[in-house]
Structure formats: C-alpha cells, structure tokens
Amino acid sequence: TPPKRPGHLALRYEPWAEHACLVAKEAERRLVEDGLEDGLLGRGFLTRYGLPPASMRDAVRATALLHDLGKLRTRWQEWAKLVQTDRDPTYQHTEPLAHTDYDPTCPEDRERERRFRSKRPPHAAPGAFYAPVLLPSLLPHVPAKKKPYVLAACVAAILSHHGGWVPGQSTGVSLDIDDGLTADWPWTVSAATGLMPDVQLMTQCAAFPDKRRALEEIVNLVADEGAMREW
C-alpha cells in the first residue's frame, strides 16, 4: 500500500543548476535502490531492450538534469523574479531559479500565488522541446541503435513530469514558447551537466516554425499506439 502523499510542501528559493543536480542525485540513488546493477531492473532492461545498467543510469541522470529545462525560458524567469521580489523587495535576480519561496500554509504566499498564477508560463512542454538538443551528449553509454528511442523516452518523461502531455492544438504550433531561453542558459546548463551545450544548434531549434509537430514526432517514437507496445 503506497504511503499517503504529503501534499504540497513548502518550497524554498532554489537556483536552477542546484535543483537540477539535487534531483539527479536523488534519481540515481533511487535507481540503485531499485536494483540497477544486480536486480530485476538491471536484468530486465538488458534482456528486454538490450540496455545495460550504464545506459539506464545515463537516461535517468539526463532526464533528471533536464526535467526543468523549460524554466530557463525568458518569461518563466521573469515570472520568478516578479514573485520573489514581491515577497522580498531586497531580492536580486542574479541567477536563474527553479523555485521561488512558497509556503502553502502562509496566507500571504497563497494570495501571491493567486495574483501571479496567470503570469507563470508552462515549462514541461517547452523543456521537452529543447531537450533533444542536449540529450545526445548526456547519453554516452546508450547503444547507437537504441539512442533515438531512449532519447524519446527521456523527452516523454520531461514532457509529462507534471502529469501533462503535448498541449492541444488550441495552443498553436509554437507551443507558446517563442520567447526563447535566457541569455545565460548555456552556462546554467553547463554548471549542472558539466558540458557546454551547442548554442548554435539550440538557436536553430528555437527557430523551428512548427514546434508542436517536432515534439510529437520525437515522443511518438516510443509513445504512439504501436510503439507503446514495444517500448
């Protein structure tokens, strides 16, 4: 029987790179705990998909590091600065955030959330759209023939980590992410991953006109009706 969920706990101000690294550390701990090396998890993925433990470690770490990539959007960081400054007028937005301070038991914080909720842009789908630019270099131990599918699974996990999926057609082909990423996103990602991303490739990705279709094509490698049965 699963334990009762704790609900929404208080969040604290947290820089993006720090949050990404902490989530990756916890994800890897859980992976080992669940039997990556000598348990059903490791043997199962090797037998069923030809993915050794090192491949699974890459996939889990990469997904954890990039799960909040969409929060490096310019508009998301503008929202974070607005909310944090409203809470603390002395706040200086010197680095991208993953979380602002929020305590659900605090009436002032609940009121602030209500006032600024409509200004907070989504981040899961934008992060999933940008992630394929960064994922290949974070999956060094995944066999070449399997890499497109593992990459697609990572993108699907990033896309759905708040319970959602590809936004409906009503959002348009842009996925509402034409604002782009912050100016310091490459150094922020590098601080978390240890790798300097390809800025030119990301710029080309951001200019793609039909972002929704591009995201669906990647996810559907493992998640459409036929692929889901296999993967």
Side-chain angles (χ1 to χ4, degrees):
T1 302
K4 184 179 179 180
R5 296 190 61 154
H8 294 286
L9 303 178
L11 297 173
R12 65 173 181 85
Y13 159 93
E14 191 174 21
W16 190 94
E18 178 183 329
H19 176 68
C21 290
L22 287 173
V23 171
K25 182 178 179 180
E26 173 62 12
E28 290 186 80
R29 185 194 69 78
R30 287 284 301 274
L31 190 63
V32 173
E33 185 180 85
D34 289 343
L36 173 66
E37 298 295 340
D38 57 358
L40 181 61
L41 177 67
R43 292 196 302 272
F45 276 94
L46 181 61
T47 302
R48 177 69 176 84
Y49 300 110
L51 294 171
S55 296
M56 299 308 299
R57 190 184 297 276
D58 280 356
V60 166
R61 179 175 180 274
T63 303
L65 287 171
L66 300 181
H67 79 283
D68 272 348
L69 181 61
K71 289 183 178 179
L72 293 180
R73 296 177 60 184
T74 300
R75 283 204 293 132
W76 204 96
Q77 290 303 315
E78 288 173 350
W79 171 86
K81 178 182 178 181
L82 182 68
V83 171
Q84 195 67 21
T85 303
D86 188 82
R87 195 180 201 271
D88 175 10
T90 67
Y91 170 71
Q92 298 293 315
H93 194 68
T94 58
E95 58 184 333
L97 299 184
H99 289 134
T100 58
D101 287 316
Y102 175 68
D103 183 350
T105 67
C106 173
E108 291 82 4
D109 280 5
R110 292 200 303 271
E111 168 60 21
R112 185 176 297 105
E113 169 71 7
R114 185 192 66 77
R115 283 191 289 117
F116 291 116
R117 182 181 298 153
S118 64
K119 297 181 183 294
R120 180 176 61 208
H123 68 275
F129 172 76
Y130 289 122
V133 176
L134 307 174
L135 281 167
S137 60
L138 295 173
L139 302 172
H141 299 103
V142 177
K145 289 185 178 180
K146 305 288 186 179
K147 187 167 287 191
Y149 304 99
V150 173
L151 184 149
C154 294
V155 170
I158 293 169
L159 174 62
S160 60
H161 82 272
H162 282 294
W165 206 239
V166 179
Q169 292 281 10
S170 61
T171 63
V173 297
S174 73
L175 294 179
D176 190 31
I177 55 175
D178 287 338
D179 54 304
L181 301 175
T182 61
D184 54 357
W185 77 265
W187 296 274
T188 304
V189 169
S190 178
T193 65
L195 300 170
M196 180 56 70
D198 187 330
V199 176
Q200 183 177 359
L201 187 58
M202 184 66 86
T203 301
Q204 294 172 357
C205 177
F208 194 82
D210 192 343
K211 295 178 174 62
R212 186 179 188 279
R213 182 174 63 82
L215 178 56
E216 281 191 324
E217 286 183 354
I218 291 174
V219 171
N220 283 344
L221 281 176
V222 294
D224 72 7
E225 185 177 357
M228 185 73 80
R229 291 191 179 96
E230 180 179 358
W231 290 101

